[in-house]
Amino acid sequence: MNGLVMTVLGPVDPAGLGAVDAHEHLFLHSAALPGEDFGSVDAMASEAETVRAGGIDTIVELTPVGLGRSVTGLASVSRRTGVHVVAATGYHRDAHYPAGHWVYREPAEVLEEVLLADLTSGIDERDWQGPTPVPSPHRAGIIKLGASYQRASASERLRLTVGASAARRTGAPVAVHCEVGTMAPELLDLLAADGVPAGRVLLAHLDRNPDPGLHAELAARGAYLLYDTVGRIKYRPDSVLLELIERMVAAGHGDKVLLGTDVGRRSQLRAYGGGPGMAVLGETFVPRLRSSVGDDATSAILRTNAWTALTWSMVAE
Ligand SMILES: [Zn+2]
């Protein structure tokens, strides 16, 4: 796998990914988001079709273990639409797992075995919720981890260590959920202590805390800045995000920026009558970005940055 990207339909050459939306969900069920579940293959194929029509060729689907993943659904959406889908394994922050969930109970070795199975043989068709796993032929291509707002709990730290170990052993990249853009330096420190350098890490939701000085420091450490609330106006206007990207590009960190919309609720998907929909990235934001930072910087953000970030790479011991 070294030097390739793993999609649900198999390994691909990084350049074969085309333009990448680096944070979405096609199937999701979380106790933290009541009434916002989604994941019908028909609905999500139609949503993915709008993404493709907007000029995006690859979706990175960051739903981790136990939150409604459907790997057979992902494979169907990918086959039906021609959109590449990179599936995730890994564990989210505590808020998404109810008390008593097995992620709090199982020892580190078992938690890691789950990730390694998803990454190296195939994701369990029952998303590890059944009495026995049913391995699919579709492998995960990225490890998703997470921490709480301004802190990482003991159980989150354990899952970060487990995820780091799986990354070290496979060469898969790591995406970490930074709640409201917090904890990024601390998460890079924790992962580095477990042998995963910043250059293998995508920091999700950093645009919730659009602090150019902080982002420049994180990029200088080698981490990817995943701006994944494009079109989510309740957080701030997209103009703030455009200004932030302009500053990162001007500071020489344009090679570390990635984009996504992370419309992780039914009410945000057009397929369910909501908005803005996943296609807002390609349809609305990319043209504005092009006129703001130019074709080359835009192409890097959507293509080469994402290709490098998603490529499996064994870190030299
Ligand atoms: Zn997400």
Side-chain angles (χ1 to χ4, degrees):
M1 263 311 289
N2 215 28
L4 297 173
V5 174
M6 180 56 75
T7 74
V8 282
L9 299 184
V12 301
D13 204 56
L17 297 179
V20 178
D21 176 338
H23 189 167
E24 295 299 347
H25 299 276
L26 294 167
F27 296 84
L28 189 70
H29 166 85
S30 168
L33 302 167
E36 293 281 10
D37 296 7
F38 55 90
S40 112
V41 170
D42 285 345
M44 297 322 293
S46 93
E47 191 82 19
E49 203 53 68
T50 66
V51 171
R52 189 172 137 95
I56 300 290
D57 309 296
T58 296
I59 290 172
V60 181
E61 212 274 8
L62 286 181
T63 307
V65 173
L67 297 181
R69 286 186 312 170
S70 167
V71 69
T72 49
L74 293 179
S76 297
V77 168
S78 183
R79 283 201 191 95
R80 276 163 66 164
T81 61
V83 173
H84 289 298
V85 174
V86 176
T89 187
Y91 301 104
H92 217 312
R93 67 193 177 103
D94 290 346
H96 290 280
Y97 299 112
H101 194 283
W102 60 262
V103 300
Y104 300 116
R105 203 171 53 234
E106 294 294 345
E109 305 77 60
V110 173
L111 294 177
E112 186 171 348
E113 273 169 29
V114 165
L115 305 191
L116 292 173
D118 283 356
L119 290 161
T120 61
S121 53
I123 296 175
D124 175 26
E125 287 187 12
R126 296 171 175 169
D127 193 17
W128 301 98
Q129 308 308 300
T132 48
V134 181
S136 75
H138 312 294
R139 290 164 60 182
I142 190 165
I143 300 166
K144 162 91 169 272
L145 302 166
S148 297
Y149 177 65
Q150 302 281 24
R151 66 185 285 269
S153 72
S155 59
E156 286 164 348
R157 281 169 192 265
L158 174 68
R159 297 196 296 274
L160 283 156
T161 294
V162 162
S165 178
R168 225 172 41 237
R169 291 170 70 175
T170 59
V174 172
V176 281
H177 170 99
C178 303
E179 179 70 7
V180 199
T182 65
M183 291 293 288
E186 293 84 355
L187 287 164
L188 289 183
D189 291 344
L190 285 169
L191 291 166
D194 286 326
V196 177
R200 302 300 300 147
V201 180
L202 291 66
L203 297 166
H205 312 310
L206 278 200
D207 50 336
R208 294 290 311 278
N209 178 21
D211 177 333
L214 170 67
H215 292 207
E217 282 174 27
L218 297 167
R221 288 177 68 172
Y224 289 91
L225 316 168
L226 177 43
Y227 298 157
D228 51 16
T229 61
V230 167
R232 312 267 294 282
I233 308 305
K234 70 177 180 183
Y235 295 141
R236 34 100 265 269
D238 277 350
S239 57
V240 171
L241 192 43
L242 287 165
E243 283 163 25
L244 179 63
I245 297 172
E246 280 169 25
R247 289 187 66 163
M248 288 304 116
V249 170
H253 299 304
D255 61 340
K256 288 296 175 183
V257 176
L258 301 171
L259 291 174
T261 74
D262 186 26
V263 281
R265 294 165 188 261
R266 174 187 282 252
S267 57
Q268 295 168 340
L269 295 165
R270 291 184 200 169
Y272 291 95
M278 253 174 233
V280 70
L281 174 63
E283 284 175 3
T284 310
F285 191 78
V286 169
R288 291 183 73 186
L289 183 63
R290 241 180 247 295
S291 36
S292 154
V293 298
D295 287 343
D296 290 352
T298 302
S299 173
I301 289 167
L302 290 173
R303 294 169 185 272
T304 45
N305 296 359
W307 301 347
T308 311
L310 295 170
T311 297
W312 288 34
S313 168
M314 293 302 286
V315 178
E317 295 288 331

mmCIF file of all heavy atoms in Angstrom, residues 23-25 28 62-64 92 144 177 204-205 228 232 262-264, ligand 1:
data_model
loop_
_atom_site.group_PDB
_atom_site.id
_atom_site.type_symbol
_atom_site.label_atom_id
_atom_site.label_comp_id
_atom_site.label_asym_id
_atom_site.label_seq_id
_atom_site.Cartn_x
_atom_site.Cartn_y
_atom_site.Cartn_z
ATOM 1 N N HIS A 23 -13.669 15.914 3.687
ATOM 2 C CA HIS A 23 -14.434 15.544 4.899
ATOM 3 C C HIS A 23 -15.931 15.569 4.631
ATOM 4 O O HIS A 23 -16.538 16.632 4.531
ATOM 5 C CB HIS A 23 -14.110 16.501 6.053
ATOM 6 C CG HIS A 23 -14.695 16.063 7.377
ATOM 7 N ND1 HIS A 23 -14.308 16.616 8.566
ATOM 8 C CD2 HIS A 23 -15.622 15.124 7.699
ATOM 9 C CE1 HIS A 23 -14.975 16.038 9.557
ATOM 10 N NE2 HIS A 23 -15.787 15.135 9.048
ATOM 11 N N GLU A 24 -16.495 14.371 4.509
ATOM 12 C CA GLU A 24 -17.944 14.230 4.368
ATOM 13 C C GLU A 24 -18.404 13.003 5.144
ATOM 14 O O GLU A 24 -17.597 12.240 5.657
ATOM 15 C CB GLU A 24 -18.347 14.059 2.887
ATOM 16 C CG GLU A 24 -18.052 15.257 2.010
ATOM 17 C CD GLU A 24 -18.774 16.527 2.440
ATOM 18 O OE1 GLU A 24 -19.697 16.452 3.268
ATOM 19 O OE2 GLU A 24 -18.374 17.603 1.962
ATOM 20 N N HIS A 25 -19.741 12.826 5.159
ATOM 21 C CA HIS A 25 -20.338 11.596 5.685
ATOM 22 C C HIS A 25 -21.427 11.159 4.717
ATOM 23 O O HIS A 25 -22.230 11.974 4.282
ATOM 24 C CB HIS A 25 -20.950 11.840 7.069
ATOM 25 C CG HIS A 25 -19.930 12.273 8.062
ATOM 26 N ND1 HIS A 25 -19.145 11.391 8.751
ATOM 27 C CD2 HIS A 25 -19.514 13.521 8.438
ATOM 28 C CE1 HIS A 25 -18.307 12.058 9.527
ATOM 29 N NE2 HIS A 25 -18.497 13.351 9.344
ATOM 30 N N LEU A 28 -24.418 7.930 8.538
ATOM 31 C CA LEU A 28 -24.095 8.381 9.896
ATOM 32 C C LEU A 28 -25.283 8.146 10.818
ATOM 33 O O LEU A 28 -26.437 8.407 10.473
ATOM 34 C CB LEU A 28 -23.742 9.877 9.878
ATOM 35 C CG LEU A 28 -23.185 10.456 11.173
ATOM 36 C CD1 LEU A 28 -21.771 9.939 11.452
ATOM 37 C CD2 LEU A 28 -23.144 11.983 11.108
ATOM 38 N N LEU A 62 -15.603 10.401 6.583
ATOM 39 C CA LEU A 62 -14.925 10.289 7.879
ATOM 40 C C LEU A 62 -15.833 9.779 9.006
ATOM 41 O O LEU A 62 -15.706 10.206 10.145
ATOM 42 C CB LEU A 62 -14.299 11.629 8.262
ATOM 43 C CG LEU A 62 -13.032 12.022 7.483
ATOM 44 C CD1 LEU A 62 -12.487 13.377 7.963
ATOM 45 C CD2 LEU A 62 -11.933 10.963 7.620
ATOM 46 N N THR A 63 -16.746 8.859 8.700
ATOM 47 C CA THR A 63 -17.540 8.253 9.775
ATOM 48 C C THR A 63 -16.731 7.126 10.418
ATOM 49 O O THR A 63 -16.369 6.171 9.748
ATOM 50 C CB THR A 63 -18.864 7.675 9.235
ATOM 51 O OG1 THR A 63 -19.558 8.684 8.503
ATOM 52 C CG2 THR A 63 -19.738 7.169 10.375
ATOM 53 N N PRO A 64 -16.433 7.254 11.731
ATOM 54 C CA PRO A 64 -15.622 6.208 12.370
ATOM 55 C C PRO A 64 -16.461 5.036 12.889
ATOM 56 O O PRO A 64 -17.682 5.004 12.696
ATOM 57 C CB PRO A 64 -14.947 6.967 13.515
ATOM 58 C CG PRO A 64 -15.885 8.060 13.861
ATOM 59 C CD PRO A 64 -16.710 8.364 12.631
ATOM 60 N N HIS A 92 -14.336 8.091 17.415
ATOM 61 C CA HIS A 92 -14.653 9.506 17.605
ATOM 62 C C HIS A 92 -14.444 9.913 19.072
ATOM 63 O O HIS A 92 -14.057 9.097 19.907
ATOM 64 C CB HIS A 92 -16.096 9.756 17.165
ATOM 65 C CG HIS A 92 -16.291 11.075 16.487
ATOM 66 N ND1 HIS A 92 -15.797 12.247 17.016
ATOM 67 C CD2 HIS A 92 -16.910 11.422 15.333
ATOM 68 C CE1 HIS A 92 -16.114 13.253 16.214
ATOM 69 N NE2 HIS A 92 -16.782 12.777 15.178
ATOM 70 N N LYS A 144 -9.765 7.885 11.681
ATOM 71 C CA LYS A 144 -10.366 9.091 12.270
ATOM 72 C C LYS A 144 -10.333 8.967 13.791
ATOM 73 O O LYS A 144 -10.741 7.949 14.347
ATOM 74 C CB LYS A 144 -11.813 9.198 11.771
ATOM 75 C CG LYS A 144 -12.731 10.110 12.581
ATOM 76 C CD LYS A 144 -12.719 11.520 12.059
ATOM 77 C CE LYS A 144 -13.822 12.362 12.694
ATOM 78 N NZ LYS A 144 -15.080 12.297 11.982
ATOM 79 N N HIS A 177 -10.555 14.928 14.851
ATOM 80 C CA HIS A 177 -11.622 15.892 15.084
ATOM 81 C C HIS A 177 -11.176 16.841 16.187
ATOM 82 O O HIS A 177 -10.962 16.419 17.324
ATOM 83 C CB HIS A 177 -12.898 15.132 15.501
ATOM 84 C CG HIS A 177 -13.995 16.020 15.983
ATOM 85 N ND1 HIS A 177 -15.051 16.402 15.185
ATOM 86 C CD2 HIS A 177 -14.196 16.615 17.184
ATOM 87 C CE1 HIS A 177 -15.858 17.187 15.887
ATOM 88 N NE2 HIS A 177 -15.361 17.336 17.098
ATOM 89 N N ALA A 204 -9.020 18.303 11.583
ATOM 90 C CA ALA A 204 -10.366 18.646 11.105
ATOM 91 C C ALA A 204 -10.991 19.767 11.932
ATOM 92 O O ALA A 204 -10.719 19.895 13.122
ATOM 93 C CB ALA A 204 -11.254 17.414 11.152
ATOM 94 N N HIS A 205 -11.794 20.569 11.272
ATOM 95 C CA HIS A 205 -12.572 21.668 11.887
ATOM 96 C C HIS A 205 -11.724 22.843 12.360
ATOM 97 O O HIS A 205 -12.178 23.632 13.181
ATOM 98 C CB HIS A 205 -13.409 21.170 13.083
ATOM 99 C CG HIS A 205 -14.187 19.945 12.814
ATOM 100 N ND1 HIS A 205 -14.992 19.797 11.706
ATOM 101 C CD2 HIS A 205 -14.278 18.780 13.494
ATOM 102 C CE1 HIS A 205 -15.536 18.602 11.727
ATOM 103 N NE2 HIS A 205 -15.115 17.955 12.792
ATOM 104 N N ASP A 228 -13.242 22.447 6.943
ATOM 105 C CA ASP A 228 -14.328 21.560 6.513
ATOM 106 C C ASP A 228 -15.700 22.027 6.958
ATOM 107 O O ASP A 228 -16.604 21.226 7.168
ATOM 108 C CB ASP A 228 -14.050 20.133 7.004
ATOM 109 C CG ASP A 228 -13.733 20.090 8.492
ATOM 110 O OD1 ASP A 228 -14.020 21.085 9.172
ATOM 111 O OD2 ASP A 228 -13.192 19.076 8.953
ATOM 112 N N ARG A 232 -21.199 26.537 5.844
ATOM 113 C CA ARG A 232 -21.941 26.378 7.104
ATOM 114 C C ARG A 232 -22.000 27.758 7.765
ATOM 115 O O ARG A 232 -21.243 28.093 8.677
ATOM 116 C CB ARG A 232 -21.239 25.365 7.985
ATOM 117 C CG ARG A 232 -20.874 24.076 7.227
ATOM 118 C CD ARG A 232 -21.941 23.025 7.363
ATOM 119 N NE ARG A 232 -22.019 22.588 8.752
ATOM 120 C CZ ARG A 232 -21.153 21.742 9.324
ATOM 121 N NH1 ARG A 232 -20.182 21.215 8.620
ATOM 122 N NH2 ARG A 232 -21.284 21.411 10.564
ATOM 123 N N ASP A 262 -18.335 18.655 5.448
ATOM 124 C CA ASP A 262 -18.739 17.922 6.648
ATOM 125 C C ASP A 262 -20.203 18.176 6.996
ATOM 126 O O ASP A 262 -20.536 18.502 8.128
ATOM 127 C CB ASP A 262 -17.832 18.305 7.832
ATOM 128 C CG ASP A 262 -18.119 17.467 9.065
ATOM 129 O OD1 ASP A 262 -18.613 16.334 8.931
ATOM 130 O OD2 ASP A 262 -17.848 17.955 10.176
ATOM 131 N N VAL A 263 -21.077 18.037 6.025
ATOM 132 C CA VAL A 263 -22.508 18.222 6.301
ATOM 133 C C VAL A 263 -23.024 16.923 6.949
ATOM 134 O O VAL A 263 -23.610 16.075 6.303
ATOM 135 C CB VAL A 263 -23.308 18.617 5.043
ATOM 136 C CG1 VAL A 263 -23.126 20.084 4.747
ATOM 137 C CG2 VAL A 263 -22.896 17.814 3.823
ATOM 138 N N GLY A 264 -22.780 16.811 8.253
ATOM 139 C CA GLY A 264 -23.026 15.556 8.958
ATOM 140 C C GLY A 264 -24.403 15.421 9.575
ATOM 141 O O GLY A 264 -24.578 14.707 10.555
HETATM 142 ZN ZN ZN B 1 -17.437 14.896 10.235
#
